[in-house]
Amino acid sequence: MLLIHCPYCGARAQDEFHYRGDANVERPAPHAGQKAFYDFVYARDNPRGWHVEWWHHYAGCRRWVKIERNTVTHEIRTVKGPTQDTR
Amino acid sequence: MPARHEPIFDRYSVWRLLKESIDGNRGWKQAWRKPEPKARYDVVIVGGGGHGLATAHYLASVHGITNVAVVEKGPIGLGNSGRNTTIVRSNYLLPSNIRFYEYSLRLWEGLERELNYNVMMSQRGQLSLFHSASERDAAVRRGNSMLIQGVDAVLLDREAVRAMLPFIAMDNPMFPILGGLLQPRGGTARHDAVVWGFARAANRRGVDILEHCEVTGIRCESGRVVGLETTRGFIGAGKVGIAVAGNTSQLAAMAGLRLPIETHLLQAFVSEAIKPLIGCVINFGAGHFYISQSDKGGLVFGGALDGYNSYSQHGNLPLVEHLMSAGVSMVPALSRLRVLRQWAGMMDMTMDGSPFICRTSIEGLYLNGGWCYGGFKATPGAGWCFAYTIAKNEPHPLNADLTIDRFFEGRMIDEAGVGPKPWAQ
Amino acid sequence: MSAHRRLQGGHIDRCKRLTFHFDGRRLFGHPGDTLASALLASGIRVVGRSFKYHRPRGIMTAGPDEPSALVELRVGSRTEPNTKMTEVELYEGLQARSQNRWPSLKFDLMAVSGLFGNMISCGFYYKTFMWPASFWERFYEPLIRHAAGLGRATCLPDPDHYEAVHAHCDVLIVGSGPAGLAAARVAGEAGARVILCERDFLPGGGLLLDPAQEIWRKEMITALERIPDVQILLRTNVFGYYDHNLLGGVEQVSDHVPEPRPHAVRQRYRTFRARHVVLATGASERLIAFRGNDRPGVMMAGAALTYVHRFGIAPGKRAVVFTNNDSAYATAFALAAAGLDGVVLADVRRESRLAAKLRAHDVDVRLGVEVNGFGTDAVTLEAQSGGRNTVRADLLCVSGGWNPNVDLASQSGAKLTWDAALATFIPGAPAQAERSVGAAHGISGIGEAARDGLAAGLVAAKISGFGGGCLDFPLPALDGSCASIEPLWEVKTSGKAFVDLQHDVTANDIRQAHREGFSHIEHAKRYTTHSMATDQGKLGGLLGAAILAEARGETLEKVGLPTFRPYTKPAAIGALAGGATGKRFQPVRRTALHAWHLHNGAVMKPTGPWLRPFYYSAAAETGWAAVLREARGVRQSVGICDVSTLGKIDLQGPDAATFLDRLYINSLSPVAVGKCRYGLMLREDGIAFDDGTISRLDRDHFLVTTTTANAEAVLEHMEFYAQTVWPELDVSLCSVTDQWAQIAVAGPRSGMTLANAVEGLDLSNAAFGFMSVGEGRVAAIPVRVFRISFSGELAYEIAVPSRHALTVWQTILTAGQEFGIVPYGLEAMDLMRIEKGHVAGSELNGQTTAADLGMDRMMKSTGDFIGRVLSARPALADPSRPRLVGIRPIESGMPLRCGAHLMSKLGSGTSLGWITSVTQSIVLGHWIGLAMLENGVAMNGNTVYAVSHLHDETIEVVVSSPNHVDPENVRGRS
């Protein structure tokens, strides 16, 4: 069970959160075309190491938080609000 | 340059066992050689798991391409080939999946003779239980899809399930058991034996299996692959096939490719060995729980992903708690049995839950990956199709749909209708 | 029978006698005994048969490292197979049976397999049983399966209860030996919240084996019990070390009593989230491989010491102790002191500082001597200088050295490092906030371990923010020893020398595996099944690795050990489920009207997390009759249905309309205040996601409904886009699903019914037309009224604050009484939506596009919305994709079946589509269905076959529009 320090609620157990993958991909402008949307929806760096990702504190403040987590050790380095920069 | 080893081959049989036992078992030879890398191979397969070794075997046995190496960063067969729940089946919904997995199942059925190795393929049946009318309707659609493709499927009603599995809980308030879809030809195989059997058979035909040989770079010249940088030096290659489940994105990135894959964690468990309790493989819709009993007597079970990107190969407790709850709720007899060991594998989860066996945008570089958690049963089929694709430089009709391009074209093969959420596939 | 029981000493309550049964024999023991100690005290020697060769086996250890002494414990629904006798605390009436023998323990016919020992060496099953292929499932495999396995499981449900407790603490200490006790006390006295877990039923670990330490042990425990923030958990095994310093454990609350007290649990699943962890898990003694090292009478030296000092038993009559290190001298000393005659200690080392002392106590110490075989009551000794002799003995105590119990440290991520002095692996630098102490860190001596624990406890407390305090308590004297060990793994002779007793793996098996190329430790493990048994390799894991290292000609350090994975010892699956099983597996959601449904004959059905009325059953009515009656009631007059489970999301803010325009494929900003619109949303990949109605309550205020199944997912989806993709939009949203109950009133007389019930809202067609929303009152309770229809009839939905749902429901029922209002359930609702051609979960299944569902015309031509770009990909835009159609059988009496496939020709191997929903239409009087069919629209009017091979059924069906009833929607609008 990961322990996630929600910036709004404090340290909370992982099972209060839902996961939603890579937070580095950004939705393209509406007319950017299929390739840009392909990159947004499908293509992933899938790093072995630090990964910035979305988690939703559904059983708490219901904010989407951006977490920087190591995919090998599961260590969490930063947790930021939805519009804050990670680094 | 070291002298080329004569392929060595011990033919296995009960007579051979008898002979060796009289000699104190001192006469057995290595199941596969431990050669030094050659400077160049016609084909190098990256990844010494079941898929990579099967590919090498079929390249040699079907296509006559024997100047082949399999490079593996550690010892062979310790990735997902050695970390699964050993289930073999072809009970899919979508026609392209049914055709591929059924071909694989047919190969399984002849694997002992093909390899002269007992992989303990045991067709004790695979039963998927349904808990609601809508799950039943989906099972009927699936069963009919299978029968149309000539695959065996039987629909069991509630009473038939009760008679077959007297030890399961039929009347959970939220997950009553209404019936099940049985594939009698489904079952299990001994996972390690598949790896060793393919390794031995490939070795026999001259394939070099290079263990402790980690790929650190893919060398390309003018859009074409020419070889691999490895921890055992540069190895030239006419063609390179990637079959490194879990690490596919990492390997592809060495060639500048970015794939529709995320790596996720899947846990599995085995109980202490008990006398036979569970005959077939059972899959419950409730909370996603599947269980079978190995020949050694351990109950092997698993469930869904931990649900976040991970290369850690160790799982966490939320999934464990959920899985044990589902297990005891569906099979109350589990309660007093003890779980002996837990392990976890790295799954290449794709954006539609289906795999890739295809060419890539780089000439001579081929991809076998994205098996989500269905890779074990695909082992012979994937090896066969991948070997074909590499040998002919074009896909076989069985894997023609398993391309990366399908996402550009909108031809997703999404069995469960989950969409591009690899953590939920 | 207590010939082996000494009169005094140990932690045994001799005043009380406990009766128990082993293989039907009635035997006696005392409180404080384990099943193993009680059997030894009763003179029982053979307690089990081995896995492969069915060799007789005795009790080898005194703890979880026991490979052989396994029983089926208890009877009936409480049967626990494979239970280690060494871990069973004796209780009155205990029943146990030996395992894996037929017909009996003494005379096991399966032992003939031993005769073929060389033929069934490692991996033999990979090399045979291949011919003929069909014999595998029919003959060979059943034979193997019945021979394998150990105990038998019960098929009966477990009568006992379990629970889960999740704790947070500053310092978690695993193990209550000298190191653990000292760490706990110093951290506790500093003020830290401490939890101390001990797997045994007595605290003290190694202290229990030294009578001289008893006073200190008791003092420490008394002191710990006085510190309020120190919690001692006995019978609690910590099984795994997980991320972010979370550890899991199982507390055996009631396994030491015949059955749990009423309302008490059998076991408790525990998790511990600790700031700092001190691993004081001790060490396990390792076996030496030699001929006969598995025979009854062989026992680990530390275990023998345990039986003497803790249980007051002499585990044999004449003993030989075989060692390569100092620790076993205490065993020889204790055996001699216990009155055994002629104790011989064979030490492979040529020198020993303890030899003289022991000789003074009548122990025959022989240096430079190895045991090279154990037969019937005879140990063969061989001097390194040459010469061999046989010593009569029924007990052979073995010590090959000690391995720190590093499982938890390794699981936490710490790498193991090789300690040449101890010839074993010890934990390296921590990866998480933990430290291994005492014997778990390779430290020997009680005083030394206590000081190591003390230091770790201080650090742990300090890291957790607690320094100072009274830290002054006495510690046991230093042992001062510098135990030198001479690594000895195997005494090579002919005959079977075991490295894994439970799986019958021999040293020769390991060598054969290497010869066949299985030379990596993980390959050798898998090929021989070495260290995969229920002792988790504690006894012979390193030994097997050492034999492999020798065969490879490499160091043991290089060969390494297999990965340590949970569980440190096997854990009951029921315990890990923590009581969340059966009806507690998944929480059940009930609507505000649940009780009314139950009182009025509703047959409830699970729908996602909800229970909903399937239909309401009148007396002597079968299910389908009730469904038809309900639907007919609606179509002919008026019905009432609880639709509270629909997801409801309230959106407010100046940009709410813009936000909704981007979420749904159709335009919602033009919707006027007081109006509703149907909407469909896609996923970003262009596949249909969910549908519902969007009502504009005010200029900047909308209420959106979702399907029951997707309520949670749609909310998260909206929150994601609002918070992260379009944070510039000024919109707030929240779920109001639980706050509002919702009641559908449908049928030609629904308007009249509501006219009787609703006040303050003009429901006339002119004032409140189709797709209107307004506010009124029912029974003086403010409600929202929506004129929307799922059934296709004139229909309304009334939203009411949940606490008033029953009042409003009953008021409407009363108002509709004159029209014969009928409550209807899910199935009647489904029947009517299929008649109407509305899609539901079987069509909105995550594989269909808007066009597939015939809704492509709803898509706005300009402006962004989720899924717009990717829904235009060529294969998704392909007009030949399966599309939603209606079907009906050519022969009107025939039923249809969901999941049947559609084909143009009989016997075709190509499916053109499949049936998604079927029902018996009450309007048309025959079965109808919805289906997905290739080129669906063009197929209108054609005949195809609906085939279900599973049922051996083929029916000819006619393709139609999906709108089977009232396609112009006259009824809903009128």
Side-chain angles (χ1 to χ4, degrees):
Chain A
M1 180 91 73
L2 307 179
L3 190 66
I4 295 173
H5 292 263
C6 172
Y8 309 102
C9 309
R12 297 300 180 94
Q14 166 201 341
D15 53 8
E16 291 188 10
F17 296 80
H18 285 160
Y19 183 72
R20 192 193 164 110
D22 197 334
N24 279 335
V25 289
E26 273 183 40
R27 190 173 193 270
H31 299 291
Q34 284 184 11
K35 173 69 175 70
F37 271 85
Y38 167 88
D39 283 340
F40 167 56
V41 174
Y42 294 116
R44 295 291 177 262
D45 287 339
N46 190 22
R48 190 184 173 96
W50 292 105
H51 186 230
V52 182
E53 58 201 21
W54 289 116
W55 291 76
H56 185 230
H57 196 186
Y58 78 94
C61 59
R62 295 202 70 89
R63 295 298 174 97
W64 282 92
V65 293
K66 226 188 259 182
I67 295 184
E68 202 183 3
R69 186 181 58 90
N70 190 303
T71 58
V72 179
T73 64
H74 296 168
E75 182 192 342
I76 291 175
R77 191 152 70 179
T78 59
V79 185
K80 294 286 173 70
T83 53
Q84 293 172 301
D85 283 336
T86 328
R87 289 251 95 186
Chain B
M1 185 161 158
R4 187 178 158 77
H5 288 88
E6 277 303 302
I8 48 170
F9 187 65
D10 282 348
R11 186 148 190 96
Y12 291 159
S13 68
V14 67
W15 309 116
R16 183 69 202 286
L17 271 172
L18 188 63
K19 178 178 171 293
E20 292 302 331
S21 74
I22 293 163
D23 286 350
N25 286 308
R26 287 191 186 82
W28 297 108
K29 299 204 177 66
Q30 282 188 341
W32 65 94
R33 293 165 295 127
K34 319 269 174 180
E36 287 302 312
K38 290 195 273 181
R40 189 181 182 283
Y41 295 90
D42 293 340
V43 179
V44 178
I45 304 295
V46 186
H51 283 221
L53 293 163
T55 306
H57 167 71
Y58 290 116
L59 276 171
S61 68
V62 177
H63 303 283
I65 302 172
T66 56
N67 184 23
V68 174
V70 176
V71 298
E72 165 56 51
K73 72 175 172 187
I76 60 168
L78 297 185
N80 293 339
S81 299
R83 295 168 182 266
N84 52 73
T85 46
T86 79
I87 298 166
V88 175
R89 59 185 175 87
S90 64
N91 53 354
Y92 279 76
L93 168 69
L94 302 173
S96 56
N97 276 341
I98 296 175
R99 280 193 292 269
F100 171 78
Y101 284 104
E102 176 61 13
Y103 188 76
S104 192
L105 182 56
R106 299 238 164 105
L107 291 175
W108 276 111
E109 289 172 332
L111 214 52
E112 272 114 358
R113 276 149 293 159
E114 165 100 14
L115 303 178
N116 177 236
Y117 206 86
N118 187 356
V119 299
M120 300 191 192
M121 170 66 179
S122 174
Q123 294 180 288
R124 283 174 287 130
Q126 200 275 359
L127 178 60
S128 300
L129 297 172
F130 44 78
H131 306 278
S132 68
S134 56
E135 285 179 23
R136 181 201 56 217
D137 295 346
V140 171
R141 180 186 164 197
R142 180 150 67 114
N144 280 321
S145 283
M146 292 161 65
L147 288 165
I148 289 167
Q149 302 284 333
V151 176
D152 59 322
V154 181
L155 193 71
L156 302 185
D157 65 12
R158 191 174 142 84
E159 290 316 310
V161 170
R162 194 201 298 275
M164 189 168 161
L165 310 171
F167 50 83
I168 67 172
M170 301 293 292
D171 295 304
N172 183 279
M174 296 308 278
F175 298 98
I177 287 165
L178 304 190
L181 184 67
L182 174 71
Q183 183 179 25
R185 286 165 60 244
T188 59
R190 172 92 181 97
H191 57 351
D192 291 330
V194 179
V195 172
W196 302 335
F198 272 117
R200 180 168 162 270
N203 174 72
R204 175 194 177 191
R205 293 182 188 269
V207 171
D208 281 357
I209 296 167
L210 306 172
E211 293 172 282
H212 306 287
C213 181
E214 182 170 1
V215 172
T216 54
I218 298 176
R219 198 187 287 179
C220 297
E221 282 168 15
S222 44
R224 181 174 179 92
V225 70
V226 295
L228 298 167
E229 315 286 352
T230 79
T231 50
R232 293 174 75 174
F234 177 77
I235 300 175
K239 294 175 176 180
V240 170
I242 295 175
V244 291
N247 289 306
T248 308
S249 296
Q250 307 301 311
L251 256 291
M254 291 179 191
L257 303 175
R258 196 160 169 259
L259 301 177
I261 285 178
E262 288 183 3
T263 299
H264 282 264
L265 188 67
L266 183 68
Q267 302 191 55
F269 303 81
V270 66
S271 78
E272 295 180 348
I274 52 168
K275 292 292 178 195
L277 173 72
I278 295 179
C280 62
V281 180
I282 314 170
N283 183 53
F284 293 88
H288 199 175
F289 174 79
Y290 41 87
I291 186 164
S292 65
Q293 187 168 15
S294 76
D295 283 342
K296 223 161 71 187
L299 302 177
V300 181
F301 54 98
L305 300 171
D306 270 35
Y308 42 84
N309 288 42
S310 176
Y311 289 86
S312 76
Q313 295 191 327
H314 71 257
N316 272 311
L317 286 173
L319 190 279
V320 178
E321 294 162 11
H322 178 75
L323 197 67
M324 302 296 169
S325 294
V328 175
S329 298
M330 297 294 111
V331 186
L334 289 182
S335 184
R336 297 186 87 89
L337 300 179
R338 283 176 288 258
V339 58
L340 175 62
R341 200 165 39 251
Q342 168 269 323
W343 63 94
M346 300 184 293
M347 307 293 120
D348 278 356
M349 299 304 300
T350 64
M351 296 287 173
D352 61 358
S354 294
F356 304 113
I357 305 178
C358 58
R359 295 186 299 191
T360 66
S361 53
I362 293 160
E363 194 65 30
L365 183 67
Y366 303 82
L367 175 67
N368 170 344
W371 289 96
C372 301
Y373 31 75
F376 178 69
K377 62 181 159 302
T379 304
W384 194 93
C385 288
F386 199 35
Y388 183 101
T389 305
I390 293 169
K392 310 273 188 195
N393 194 32
E394 65 177 19
H396 187 273
L398 284 168
N399 62 308
D401 291 340
L402 305 180
T403 62
I404 302 170
D405 290 347
R406 68 178 183 262
F407 293 107
F408 289 102
E409 295 157 8
R411 285 187 297 100
M412 289 78 78
I413 310 171
D414 190 349
E415 285 269 327
V418 171
K421 297 179 185 166
W423 58 89
Q425 279 287 354
Chain C
M1 268 306 287
S2 293
H4 288 58
R5 176 78 78 190
R6 293 196 305 152
L7 290 175
Q8 320 144 12
H11 299 266
I12 295 288
D13 178 3
R14 288 175 175 76
C15 302
K16 279 195 205 138
R17 200 166 81 150
L18 300 173
T19 312
F20 69 100
H21 292 85
F22 176 67
D23 277 346
R25 279 178 71 185
R26 191 173 139 97
L27 300 164
F28 304 99
H30 301 286
D33 264 327
T34 62
L35 176 57
S37 69
L39 283 170
L40 282 170
S42 306
I44 306 259
R45 215 171 139 80
V46 178
V47 295
R49 289 272 174 172
S50 72
F51 188 76
K52 196 156 103 177
Y53 302 124
H54 290 257
R55 287 165 69 100
R57 294 280 163 82
I59 294 163
M60 189 94 182
T61 73
D65 42 356
E66 177 57 43
S68 302
L70 310 182
V71 285
E72 278 172 21
L73 185 68
R74 301 176 188 265
V75 292
S77 58
R78 289 197 164 90
T79 303
E80 293 157 43
N82 306 340
T83 306
K84 292 167 186 154
M85 294 174 180
T86 49
E87 293 203 297
V88 177
E89 199 175 337
L90 197 68
Y91 56 85
E92 177 60 31
L94 179 148
Q95 298 207 42
R97 293 165 306 284
S98 57
Q99 308 187 143
N100 207 34
R101 80 288 192 267
W102 185 83
S104 76
L105 204 50
K106 278 205 174 126
F107 179 71
D108 182 358
L109 280 176
M110 300 291 275
V112 295
S113 63
L115 300 177
F116 305 108
N118 275 344
M119 242 184 113
I120 56 174
S121 65
C122 63
F124 75 97
Y125 30 77
Y126 301 127
K127 297 170 181 164
T128 182
F129 303 132
M130 286 179 275
W131 184 88
S134 64
F135 268 40
W136 176 248
E137 283 90 354
R138 277 192 287 157
F139 182 68
Y140 301 129
E141 192 187 33
L143 209 67
I144 290 177
R145 287 174 81 86
H146 281 91
L150 292 165
R152 291 164 303 178
T154 172
C155 285
L156 300 168
D158 187 348
D160 291 337
H161 300 284
Y162 302 86
E163 66 185 10
V165 172
H166 304 284
H168 290 251
C169 61
D170 295 314
V171 184
L172 176 73
I173 295 158
V174 187
S176 70
L181 289 178
R185 183 156 173 193
V186 74
E189 287 187 352
R193 293 170 305 155
V194 174
I195 297 176
L196 172 63
C197 293
E198 170 55 56
R199 65 168 171 73
D200 205 332
F201 55 92
L202 286 181
L207 297 168
L208 295 167
L209 310 186
D210 188 350
Q213 302 293 351
E214 188 54 17
I215 295 169
W216 189 72
R217 185 184 79 94
K218 283 200 171 129
E219 271 176 16
M220 289 297 282
I221 289 157
T222 310
L224 286 173
E225 282 168 352
R226 285 204 197 105
I227 308 173
D229 271 347
V230 172
Q231 187 180 13
I232 303 176
L233 297 174
L234 297 181
R235 304 182 177 95
T236 303
N237 181 57
V238 176
F239 61 71
Y241 202 131
Y242 297 88
D243 288 329
H244 301 181
N245 253 27
L246 187 83
L247 292 89
V250 172
E251 181 182 1
Q252 290 179 280
V253 181
S254 306
D255 281 339
H256 58 297
V257 292
E259 52 185 75
R261 285 177 292 110
H263 312 298
V265 296
R266 174 188 168 221
Q267 296 186 351
R268 188 174 285 137
Y269 165 63
R270 286 184 172 273
T271 66
F272 309 96
R273 176 87 66 183
R275 278 182 207 277
H276 200 87
V277 175
V278 176
L279 298 173
T281 46
S284 296
E285 200 163 23
R286 58 193 188 222
L287 188 61
I288 298 170
F290 56 85
R291 179 168 47 93
N293 69 345
D294 68 318
R295 294 181 59 93
V298 176
M299 184 180 278
M300 302 312 296
L305 185 67
T306 307
Y307 286 115
V308 174
H309 278 160
R310 176 169 170 184
F311 297 105
I313 295 165
K317 295 196 179 71
R318 291 185 67 91
V320 171
V321 178
F322 178 28
T323 187
N324 64 347
N325 66 88
D326 283 354
S327 72
Y329 280 67
T331 303
F333 178 76
L335 289 170
L340 271 70
D341 293 330
V343 175
V344 176
L345 184 132
D347 192 333
V348 297
R349 299 173 299 179
R350 287 170 189 279
E351 284 172 37
S352 163
R353 66 188 174 99
L354 300 171
K357 191 178 154 199
L358 211 55
R359 282 179 182 134
H361 287 91
D362 287 340
V363 175
D364 176 2
V365 178
R366 304 187 190 183
L367 297 176
V369 168
E370 293 174 351
V371 168
N372 85 353
F374 184 43
T376 312
D377 285 349
V379 177
T380 313
L381 298 177
E382 185 160 328
Q384 287 156 2
S385 53
R388 159 185 303 210
N389 72 330
T390 301
V391 176
R392 198 162 63 81
D394 63 345
L395 175 67
L396 173 55
C397 304
V398 181
S399 180
W402 293 82
N403 296 330
N405 291 326
V406 297
D407 342 23
L408 290 174
S410 175
Q411 285 177 33
S412 78
K415 295 269 178 288
L416 301 182
T417 58
W418 177 251
D419 185 318
L422 298 170
T424 191
F425 290 97
I426 62 169
Q432 298 201 42
E434 57 86 19
R435 202 184 131 183
S436 293
V437 296
H441 203 218
I443 288 169
S444 68
I446 282 175
E448 285 82 350
R451 277 162 188 81
D452 196 33
L454 183 92
L458 270 174
V459 170
K462 199 166 175 191
I463 290 171
S464 311
F466 302 92
C470 171
L471 307 174
D472 197 22
F473 53 88
L475 294 173
L478 291 173
D479 197 16
S481 69
C482 178
S484 66
I485 177 172
E486 184 175 314
L488 173 72
W489 307 104
E490 184 184 11
V491 181
K492 284 188 188 148
T493 50
S494 61
K496 286 191 171 65
F498 287 87
V499 297
D500 186 317
L501 269 68
Q502 195 180 109
H503 279 173
D504 273 348
V505 181
T506 65
N508 280 338
D509 284 327
I510 303 278
R511 280 186 279 270
Q512 184 186 334
H514 167 65
R515 213 173 292 133
E516 293 190 45
F518 299 92
S519 309
H520 188 272
I521 184 73
E522 286 283 354
H523 283 163
K525 176 186 99 175
R526 287 155 184 264
Y527 194 59
T528 63
T529 75
H530 168 241
S531 83
M532 294 174 83
T534 64
D535 68 335
Q536 311 281 36
K538 286 186 176 70
L539 196 67
L542 194 66
L543 169 57
I547 287 164
L548 183 65
E550 191 205 58
R552 278 167 49 169
E554 286 176 316
T555 62
L556 185 46
E557 182 182 5
K558 176 122 193 285
V559 168
L561 285 174
T563 315
F564 286 93
R565 300 197 176 101
Y567 298 80
T568 59
K569 74 178 207 189
I573 295 171
L576 300 183
T581 56
K583 66 181 184 196
R584 287 176 299 279
F585 172 44
Q586 184 185 285
V588 178
R589 295 183 77 180
R590 299 177 181 89
T591 72
L593 295 163
H594 187 79
W596 189 93
H597 300 319
L598 293 187
H599 285 131
N600 289 273
V603 173
M604 304 301 283
K605 180 181 168 181
T607 319
W610 297 90
L611 274 181
R612 301 183 67 183
F614 191 25
Y615 55 84
Y616 299 83
S617 176
E621 194 180 37
T622 65
W624 261 109
V627 172
L628 296 176
R629 172 182 52 76
E630 289 170 11
R632 212 167 270 129
V634 175
R635 292 256 186 253
Q636 288 171 358
S637 182
V638 61
I640 183 168
C641 182
D642 180 5
V643 294
S644 303
T645 64
L646 286 176
K648 305 172 206 84
I649 299 167
D650 192 288
L651 294 101
Q652 301 186 29
D655 295 324
T658 310
F659 182 64
L660 289 170
D661 276 343
R662 294 184 190 178
L663 281 174
Y664 289 87
I665 66 170
N666 44 336
S667 285
L668 296 163
S669 46
V671 173
V673 173
K675 284 296 184 186
C676 323
R677 186 169 283 182
Y678 174 80
L680 177 73
M681 58 171 80
L682 307 183
R683 304 189 307 225
E684 199 71 85
D685 67 349
I687 299 291
F689 176 20
D690 199 60
D691 66 349
T693 53
I694 298 91
S695 305
R696 192 162 206 166
L697 303 177
D698 206 336
R699 196 174 67 90
D700 297 337
H701 187 188
F702 291 81
L703 186 87
V704 163
T705 64
T706 75
T707 61
T708 299
N710 284 330
E712 178 71 26
V714 170
L715 181 67
E716 285 203 14
H717 175 77
M718 287 189 181
E719 287 169 329
F720 181 78
Y721 278 87
Q723 293 175 25
T724 78
V725 180
W726 302 309
E728 71 281 6
L729 293 185
D730 187 353
V731 57
S732 303
L733 59 101
C734 88
S735 165
V736 292
T737 303
D738 293 337
Q739 285 74 12
W740 293 85
Q742 196 137 317
I743 298 163
V745 183
R749 298 203 173 99
S750 59
M752 289 184 269
T753 300
L754 289 185
N756 285 348
V758 177
E759 295 169 339
L761 182 65
D762 179 358
L763 291 175
S764 68
N765 213 18
F768 199 71
F770 186 56
M771 300 307 269
S772 292
V773 55
E775 291 181 0
R777 289 182 311 281
V778 172
I781 295 158
V783 296
R784 285 177 185 156
V785 182
F786 306 84
R787 190 173 158 192
I788 52 182
S789 178
F790 197 45
S791 58
E793 297 298 328
L794 170 67
Y796 302 84
E797 289 186 12
I798 317 293
V800 49
S802 290
R803 65 185 181 283
H804 297 303
L806 187 60
T807 309
V808 169
W809 175 271
Q810 282 173 326
T811 305
I812 298 170
L813 270 179
T814 308
Q817 214 160 27
E818 60 180 290
F819 310 113
I821 191 166
V822 51
Y824 65 100
L826 274 180
E827 198 61 27
M829 185 160 62
D830 203 42
L831 182 157
M832 291 185 281
R833 72 99 191 163
I834 297 169
E835 287 186 321
K836 188 67 191 158
H838 284 154
V839 296
S842 349
E843 292 82 25
L844 269 170
N845 66 351
Q847 297 167 326
T848 46
T849 65
D852 297 344
L853 300 172
M855 297 199 222
D856 39 338
R857 285 175 310 252
M858 278 168 60
M859 277 196 201
K860 47 189 168 258
S861 49
T862 57
D864 184 21
F865 62 87
I866 292 167
R868 183 183 65 87
V869 174
L870 292 185
S871 68
R873 282 178 289 172
L876 291 184
D878 182 351
S880 68
R881 278 175 66 90
R883 276 198 157 218
L884 183 72
V885 297
I887 50 165
R888 62 168 194 277
I890 281 193
E891 280 180 62
S892 65
M894 297 295 283
L896 295 172
R897 187 179 296 280
C898 265
H901 284 246
L902 302 176
M903 296 178 166
S904 59
K905 300 198 285 283
L906 279 178
S908 161
T910 311
S911 164
L912 301 176
W914 61 96
I915 301 179
T916 56
S917 301
V918 300
T919 194
Q920 206 174 336
S921 170
I922 49 159
V923 175
L924 303 172
H926 56 75
W927 284 76
I928 56 169
L930 300 177
M932 302 301 297
L933 178 64
E934 284 179 18
N935 292 305
V937 178
M939 293 287 283
N940 205 335
N942 288 17
T943 301
V944 293
Y945 295 97
V947 180
S948 179
H949 289 311
L950 281 174
H951 301 89
D952 206 11
E953 262 175 22
T954 302
I955 297 165
E956 271 189 283
V957 297
V958 181
V959 179
S960 65
S961 145
N963 314 113
H964 294 281
V965 170
D966 187 22
E968 306 304 320
N969 200 20
V970 177
R971 297 187 192 194
R973 291 172 191 280
S974 60

